[in-house]
Amino acid sequence: MKRYCVIGEKLGHTLSPKIHALYFGKTGIDGSYGAVELPRESMENARGFLSGYDGVNVTIPYKQTVIGSLDGLSDEARGIGAVNTVFNDGGKLIGYNTDPFGFTAMLASRGLGNVRGRKAYVLGYGGAARSVLYALKKGGADVTVVSRDPVGAGKDGYRAISYAELGRESGYLLVNATPVGMYPREGASPVGADVIKNFDVLADLVYNPMLTEFLSIGLSLGKRAVGGLYMLVAQAVGSQRIWQGRKHTKRLIDGIYLELSKDVFAENGNIWLVGMPGSGKSTLGAAIAEYTGRRFVDADEYIVKTNDGMTIAEMFRKGEDFFRGKESEAMARLAREKGLVIATGGGCIERETNVDCMRLSGIAVYIDRPVEAIAADVDCASRPLLADGPQRIAALYDRRKDKYLAAGQVRVKNTAGKRAALGRLSRACSFAKNTGRTL
């Protein structure tokens, strides 16, 4: 059995052993992975310790100090000036940095990875920020560092500005590479809405909590948003790619990310149900809410309630864009709450920012019911987008089916009655706390 571990000064909350255990389980590789806290003085000559493992991950505060114990560095590690992965290659210790791979994969996971020629701003200039800057520069972005010491950052060849100057800037991507907003100080954001409104996409390296105040402000403004948990998983798989000498698919990363998300959201995460009108979201949602002890919310009813009783039909008469805007505002508010089961509107997946809300606050489940069964049951007259009759249902399904599949992290088929669908839904939401109720 091959032996691996992560080293750092304080590792009480590290998720690395769980991620790598999931990796070994999904790949069938025989390996062990532990967490070892080391005092700072032990890092002066860490070579003996490192040589006892096939591979080691390195975290704060040793990503730079470990370099003195190594025999060589990869291009990324040398360019960043920090190591997060050590490979014991037959006694030769080589340092790598998989954070740029993790960051790039995080953006790509939500379709946000095309940064070439676009303006990207990175908050902070610590070790995490340097990995992000390396990845963005390699991707062809027009990069700016935002720092409390812009003169120091500028010495490394980056355009650098102060936080005060950032208010006059705008661009595609704004990245929080600082610890601001991390547990236990979740309510803080490194910048406010006056800055965030000037950017299209927000990325936060913080993963505890998943939905940081920085990202929440962005969602409330209709911005795209992605959090740091996917980067954590991807950089870990990047380490395994080096240690095992083989490439891994996005599907593997997604699978580990989903299982880890279930753990993260075990106590108070939301369950978001997506699918066609008439797919059974409300019926199944109310039942699974009772079963898990969560509160059920019908998103359309919530939208009406939070808009002074204006009906969905009245909103649609102002135009579908008007309604979709109200829907996105509602989803951003619901994402801030905890322990909900939410039956979303059939068209919520038309806006990717709504999917971001779901990913950052819980698990999204696609309730897949045959369109023929929906057409036989649904009351078209009560739904603005179905006013043309059953033929409209088929057209909507054809337009949306790929988006449902992409939005739903898990898929539950509603083809054999309520009880069977509830059983599938319960298993899909294995993170949900069972309060003793029976289905």
Side-chain angles (χ1 to χ4, degrees):
M1 176 184 288
K2 293 184 177 181
R3 298 175 68 240
Y4 307 93
C5 73
V6 58
I7 60 172
E9 188 173 30
K10 295 179 181 180
L11 298 172
H13 298 288
T14 182
L15 294 175
S16 291
K18 176 68 174 180
I19 295 172
H20 290 277
L22 287 167
Y23 171 87
F24 292 137
K26 288 181 179 295
T27 60
I29 291 173
D30 188 17
S32 67
Y33 189 101
V36 181
E37 293 184 348
L38 295 176
R40 294 190 182 224
E41 56 269 22
S42 68
M43 293 304 295
E44 294 178 3
N45 185 14
R47 185 176 181 88
F49 176 86
L50 296 172
S51 297
Y53 288 84
D54 295 285
V56 175
N57 284 133
V58 185
T59 190
I60 296 171
Y62 301 141
K63 290 187 176 185
Q64 293 174 314
T65 54
V66 74
I67 292 175
S69 299
L70 305 180
D71 297 307
L73 298 175
S74 69
D75 291 341
E76 288 88 353
R78 186 176 295 106
I80 296 165
V83 165
N84 80 334
T85 301
V86 177
F87 176 38
N88 185 346
D89 186 8
K92 190 174 183 181
L93 302 177
I94 309 299
Y96 296 82
N97 197 312
T98 63
D99 283 336
F101 169 75
F103 178 75
T104 300
M106 178 180 77
L107 291 182
S109 73
R110 299 295 302 124
L112 302 169
N114 182 14
V115 298
R116 185 165 299 280
R118 290 173 157 176
K119 291 184 177 181
Y121 291 72
V122 179
L123 306 177
Y125 197 56
R130 292 169 195 245
S131 296
V132 171
L133 289 164
Y134 183 94
L136 289 171
K137 189 173 181 181
K138 189 174 181 179
D142 179 1
V143 180
T144 298
V145 178
V146 184
S147 173
R148 289 175 295 182
D149 178 22
V151 174
K155 289 179 180 178
D156 289 333
Y158 291 106
R159 177 178 182 255
I161 62 173
S162 67
Y163 280 84
E165 294 173 296
L166 179 60
R168 299 188 293 271
E169 304 276 329
S170 63
Y172 171 69
L173 177 65
L174 183 64
V175 183
N176 177 32
T178 78
V180 176
M182 182 185 297
Y183 175 85
R185 299 180 178 85
E186 297 102 319
S189 173
V191 293
D194 57 328
V195 168
I196 291 172
K197 66 182 177 63
N198 296 323
F199 294 86
D200 301 325
V201 177
L202 306 182
D204 201 329
L205 304 196
V206 171
Y207 58 85
N208 184 15
M210 285 274 281
L211 181 58
T212 61
E213 183 67 13
F214 174 69
L215 296 179
S216 185
I217 294 170
L219 291 174
S220 71
L221 295 171
K223 306 299 182 181
R224 295 297 312 278
V226 61
L229 189 65
Y230 196 96
M231 176 177 172
L232 183 71
V233 173
Q235 63 80 29
V237 174
S239 296
Q240 289 286 354
R241 183 170 63 175
I242 292 167
W243 295 333
Q244 309 304 333
R246 63 196 235 188
K247 293 185 177 181
H248 300 300
T249 63
K250 180 180 181 297
R251 184 176 179 180
L252 174 63
I253 299 174
D254 288 346
I256 296 173
Y257 173 75
L258 174 59
E259 294 304 316
L260 193 65
S261 295
K262 290 180 180 181
D263 283 349
V264 169
F265 292 124
E267 292 301 319
N268 54 22
N270 296 328
I271 302 172
W272 299 83
L273 306 183
V274 302
M276 283 286 289
S279 62
K281 299 188 299 292
S282 294
T283 299
L284 296 175
I288 202 70
E290 181 181 3
Y291 172 61
T292 60
R294 283 167 161 77
R295 180 164 68 89
F296 174 68
V297 176
D298 182 292
D300 282 351
E301 291 179 1
Y302 180 85
I303 293 167
V304 171
K305 181 180 178 180
T306 54
N307 283 278
D308 300 321
M310 182 186 297
T311 67
I312 302 297
E314 289 171 334
M315 293 183 200
F316 266 92
R317 282 197 285 272
K318 292 178 176 288
E320 185 174 351
D321 282 347
F322 177 84
F323 169 73
R324 294 298 172 206
K326 295 297 183 182
E327 182 177 55
S328 292
E329 291 172 7
M331 298 215 24
R333 286 194 296 269
L334 289 170
R336 293 183 73 108
E337 299 194 37
K338 300 180 185 299
L340 304 180
V341 177
I342 304 156
T344 66
C348 80
I349 43 76
E350 299 281 8
R351 289 192 175 185
E352 285 290 342
T353 187
N354 294 338
V355 181
D356 295 341
C357 287
M358 294 187 269
R359 294 292 174 88
L360 290 167
S361 65
I363 303 297
V365 182
Y366 170 32
I367 306 300
D368 185 8
R369 189 182 183 206
V371 69
E372 299 81 7
I374 294 174
D377 292 346
V378 73
D379 177 12
C380 294
S382 66
R383 301 177 186 269
L385 283 181
L386 302 183
D388 293 338
Q391 68 275 13
R392 177 65 171 155
I393 298 176
L396 271 180
Y397 176 76
D398 286 342
R399 191 180 86 191
R400 292 175 175 173
K401 60 182 179 181
D402 289 341
K403 293 182 179 179
Y404 287 135
L405 288 167
Q409 292 163 282
V410 290
R411 180 183 181 186
V412 170
K413 291 191 175 183
N414 185 8
T415 57
K418 177 181 174 180
R419 180 168 292 276
L422 280 173
R424 296 188 185 105
L425 181 54
S426 176
R427 290 189 292 274
C429 297
S430 58
F431 69 95
K433 183 179 179 181
N434 186 344
T435 60
R437 296 173 175 84
T438 57
L439 290 171

